[in-house]
Amino acid sequence: MLTSDINKNELFLGIDGGGTKCKAIVVNRDNAILGTGISGPGNPLHGFEQAANSIEESAKLALADAGLQHIALHEIPAGVGLAGVNLPVLYKQMNEWLHPFKEMYLATDLLIACLGAHQGEYGAVMITGTGSCGFAHVDDDVFMLGGHGFPHGDKGSGAWTGFQAAKQVLLSLDQLIPATALTPKLLAHLKVNNAVEMVEVIAGKPAAFFAEFARDVYEAARAGDDIARAIVQEGAGYISQLARKLLTKNPPRISLIGGLTPVITPWLDADVQETLSAPLSPPEMGSVIYARQQQAKQSKIS
Amino acid sequence: MLTSDINKNELFLGIDGGGTKCKAIVVNRDNAILGTGISGPGNPLHGFEQAANSIEESAKLALADAGLQHIALHEIPAGVGLAGVNLPVLYKQMNEWLHPFKEMYLATDLLIACLGAHQGEYGAVMITGTGSCGFAHVDDDVFMLGGHGFPHGDKGSGAWTGFQAAKQVLLSLDQLIPATALTPKLLAHLKVNNAVEMVEVIAGKPAAFFAEFARDVYEAARAGDDIARAIVQEGAGYISQLARKLLTKNPPRISLIGGLTPVITPWLDADVQETLSAPLSPPEMGSVIYARQQQAKQSKIS
């Protein structure tokens, strides 16, 4: 398909603004992805300016990637899913943004993830990436579970997993619990030799720092490491609990998404594993779906 | 005793510089406390200037409290115990300080606490205040245990206790565990109504914030609250473990000190409780004792 064949009135932008990066896609009338763009943090929790810039930049990169740089953002409607806009103050701020799009349809990161996973149909998702949470979208209602943030919440997430490992390794370095293979593994990962050096490196670090060690914990657990197994079992147990709670809302489908999905799935309770359906499309496609749904509703009303 | 009877050559200052306040005493030749002064944070971990100012201010306040404001700091030797100076870089910085005293004898907060608790003799201490740690001082050797800081370490401390409570209360608000009396108790303490408001209030808060709720957790545990009991048992279990580990160093005496002492003691293992001796004097007196010991050593050498 030549880019000259593109009817710009049929294009849609879908944007997923997360804490570490903002991802945009531009799609045609059939939701086929024509181009993709990735920029910096797009989460207004960490600053409005930064989020606004990242959203705009990712969208421009997606257009350029599609060879559509001659089309301006104000010619295309955009669905924008953002972490944090469940908080009224942030929703208001982002919604009042003098955005560069033809229209902007704003939703939470959870809603677009859920719409993406279930192709616009009702359903539920558990997310286990750097953070963790559960979300159900049934009968026009939404239900959130967990997702309270690091280090007080987000059990079962990558950050939680790495942080639990750090705490246990410190106990082992004090010889208050037996050390396992996890202790030298974490010291090597952090490039430190002892507890004092380790504390200097980990003190005050954000969620993403601890999430970097999560896959090593899962690898150790698979190899039978006692400390790692206990952490992984507790984390997966929590995600299984989230699933059970979400299933009480009777979602037609339920999916597990986020970076830990492949490694945590085998540790979930067997009956929970059986209920899981593979996500059908990524969150940024959920943003497109959301925008189309909202546009259709509005044209029905008017 | 009239202040005119005071021989200023026999006076000593003892200072305990902690994370929230700096405490100073001025004592006579018999270590009788003539005056006390309290100022702001005296911990160089949070800034050299602030620590230096707090130390000087607390000392001046102690002299004024004793009616000795006509005596200048440079006429009196001082023992100064500070958190953080176990780190070489902070020790060097504080030791190179152009301090206002006749002489300054610098030690860690743990060593002065231990010397105070055991009147200058060898011994061991567990500290459970905002933070927690163990320390033994035997045969001119020191041994540190725990004390890795919040939120990754300091198990059994006030901050850890309050933080564990916050995590469990969030799980109960998501109905993932049964709520107990601790849930309304913490919500009332934080002046919030639900999980979203609670997270807004607790996110990113320092150790001292969570420590403020520790006594409520102990009170709930005494009243039989399941969640509180589990937290308190785990925390006290850790302090018992610290005690056992310290006892392997054969200290002549072992004491528990810090703000949680009265409430945590009944939860320690019975055999650990039996080994505990009451501290003989506070950390700031430990600073005086340390300074006198160092002065005596130096006069022996010269």
Side-chain angles (χ1 to χ4, degrees):
Chain A
M1 182 166 57
L2 291 171
T3 58
S4 54
D5 296 337
I6 298 284
N7 178 349
K8 68 187 177 190
N9 294 321
E10 294 173 355
L11 295 177
F12 257 94
L13 281 159
I15 291 165
D16 174 27
T20 53
K21 62 176 194 280
C22 185
K23 198 169 177 191
I25 51 172
V26 56
V27 303
N28 68 11
R29 59 179 297 168
D30 305 317
N31 280 0
I33 297 172
L34 306 177
T36 299
I38 292 177
S39 61
N43 179 342
L45 276 171
H46 304 306
F48 169 76
E49 291 274 339
Q50 161 89 68
N53 289 339
S54 293
I55 293 166
E56 185 161 348
E57 193 193 342
S58 67
K60 282 182 179 164
L61 289 170
L63 283 177
D65 185 44
L68 299 172
Q69 53 276 20
H70 56 282
I71 300 183
L73 295 183
H74 69 79
E75 301 180 274
I76 319 180
V80 178
L82 299 177
V85 299
N86 53 319
L87 301 174
V89 55
L90 290 182
Y91 180 85
K92 187 164 179 289
Q93 190 180 36
M94 287 311 303
N95 210 36
E96 286 172 356
W97 175 34
L98 296 173
H99 65 78
F101 308 111
K102 188 174 179 185
E103 291 126 26
M104 179 175 77
Y105 301 95
L106 189 59
T108 68
D109 56 337
L110 297 176
L111 180 57
I112 62 150
C114 196
L115 288 169
H118 308 303
Q119 289 280 38
E121 302 297 320
Y122 289 137
V125 286
M126 284 95 66
I127 306 184
T128 52
T130 302
S132 75
C133 68
F135 183 82
H137 178 219
V138 180
D139 298 336
D140 255 342
D141 224 348
V142 297
F143 174 68
M144 253 196 82
L145 203 52
H148 302 304
F150 177 81
H152 45 274
D154 288 14
K155 215 169 159 174
S157 67
W160 179 89
T161 305
F163 190 68
Q164 293 300 107
K167 289 196 291 184
Q168 295 303 106
V169 165
L170 282 174
L171 291 176
S172 79
L173 291 171
D174 281 344
Q175 300 184 302
L176 295 169
I177 61 171
T180 66
L182 201 63
T183 294
K185 203 169 179 143
L186 179 56
L187 293 179
H189 172 81
L190 297 173
K191 298 186 179 66
V192 297
N193 300 302
N194 54 51
V196 172
E197 289 178 17
M198 179 175 153
V199 167
E200 233 169 290
V201 168
I202 69 170
K205 286 295 192 297
F209 176 87
F210 291 100
E212 279 170 19
F213 191 63
R215 279 176 173 265
D216 284 333
V217 179
Y218 275 86
E219 194 180 287
R222 276 194 303 278
D225 186 286
D226 284 337
I227 293 177
R229 280 182 74 94
I231 294 169
V232 162
Q233 279 165 350
E234 186 182 349
Y238 174 78
I239 302 299
S240 291
Q241 265 190 300
L242 287 189
R244 280 181 220 293
K245 200 88 190 167
L246 294 172
L247 288 168
T248 63
K249 305 285 172 186
N250 296 315
R253 278 169 51 93
I254 184 166
S255 297
L256 180 63
I257 58 179
L260 277 192
T261 301
V263 292
I264 200 173
T265 302
W267 295 87
L268 300 177
D269 293 344
D271 60 314
V272 168
Q273 287 189 48
E274 276 170 28
T275 65
L276 295 180
S277 301
L280 300 173
S281 57
E284 56 273 20
M285 187 61 83
S287 290
V288 171
I289 293 167
Y290 179 74
R292 287 196 194 279
Q293 288 180 346
Q294 294 302 307
Q295 209 180 44
K297 270 189 202 170
Q298 287 175 9
S299 66
K300 219 191 270 176
I301 294 166
S302 59
Chain B
M1 182 166 55
L2 292 170
T3 57
S4 55
D5 295 338
I6 296 284
N7 178 351
K8 68 187 177 192
N9 294 320
E10 293 173 354
L11 295 176
F12 257 93
L13 281 159
I15 292 165
D16 174 26
T20 51
K21 64 176 192 283
C22 185
K23 198 168 175 192
I25 50 171
V26 56
V27 303
N28 67 13
R29 60 179 294 167
D30 305 317
N31 280 0
I33 297 174
L34 306 177
T36 300
I38 292 178
S39 61
N43 179 342
L45 276 171
H46 304 307
F48 169 77
E49 290 273 341
Q50 161 91 67
N53 289 339
S54 293
I55 293 165
E56 185 162 348
E57 193 193 344
S58 67
K60 282 182 179 164
L61 289 170
L63 282 177
D65 185 45
L68 299 171
Q69 54 276 20
H70 57 282
I71 299 184
L73 295 183
H74 68 79
E75 299 180 274
I76 319 179
V80 178
L82 299 176
V85 299
N86 53 318
L87 300 173
V89 55
L90 289 182
Y91 181 84
K92 188 165 179 288
Q93 190 180 35
M94 288 311 302
N95 211 36
E96 286 172 356
W97 175 34
L98 296 173
H99 64 79
F101 308 110
K102 187 175 179 186
E103 290 124 28
M104 179 174 78
Y105 300 96
L106 189 60
T108 67
D109 55 338
L110 298 175
L111 180 56
I112 62 149
C114 196
L115 287 169
H118 309 303
Q119 288 279 40
E121 301 298 317
Y122 289 136
V125 286
M126 285 95 66
I127 307 183
T128 51
T130 302
S132 75
C133 68
F135 182 81
H137 178 217
V138 181
D139 296 337
D140 255 344
D141 224 348
V142 298
F143 174 67
M144 254 196 82
L145 203 51
H148 302 304
F150 176 81
H152 45 274
D154 287 15
K155 213 168 159 176
S157 68
W160 178 90
T161 304
F163 190 68
Q164 293 301 107
K167 290 196 291 185
Q168 294 304 106
V169 165
L170 282 174
L171 292 176
S172 79
L173 292 171
D174 281 344
Q175 300 184 303
L176 295 169
I177 60 171
T180 65
L182 201 63
T183 294
K185 203 169 180 142
L186 180 56
L187 293 179
H189 173 82
L190 297 173
K191 300 186 178 65
V192 297
N193 299 304
N194 54 51
V196 171
E197 289 179 18
M198 178 174 155
V199 167
E200 232 169 292
V201 168
I202 69 170
K205 286 295 191 297
F209 176 87
F210 292 99
E212 280 169 18
F213 191 63
R215 279 177 173 265
D216 284 334
V217 178
Y218 275 86
E219 194 180 286
R222 275 194 304 278
D225 186 286
D226 284 337
I227 293 178
R229 280 182 75 93
I231 293 169
V232 162
Q233 278 165 350
E234 188 183 347
Y238 173 78
I239 302 300
S240 291
Q241 266 189 301
L242 287 189
R244 280 181 222 292
K245 200 86 189 169
L246 293 171
L247 288 168
T248 64
K249 304 286 172 186
N250 296 313
R253 277 170 51 96
I254 185 166
S255 297
L256 181 63
I257 58 179
L260 278 191
T261 301
V263 292
I264 200 173
T265 302
W267 296 87
L268 299 178
D269 294 344
D271 60 315
V272 168
Q273 288 188 47
E274 276 170 29
T275 65
L276 295 179
S277 302
L280 301 172
S281 58
E284 57 273 21
M285 186 61 83
S287 290
V288 171
I289 293 167
Y290 179 74
R292 287 195 192 280
Q293 287 181 346
Q294 293 301 306
Q295 209 180 45
K297 269 190 203 171
Q298 287 175 9
S299 67
K300 220 192 271 178
I301 293 167
S302 57

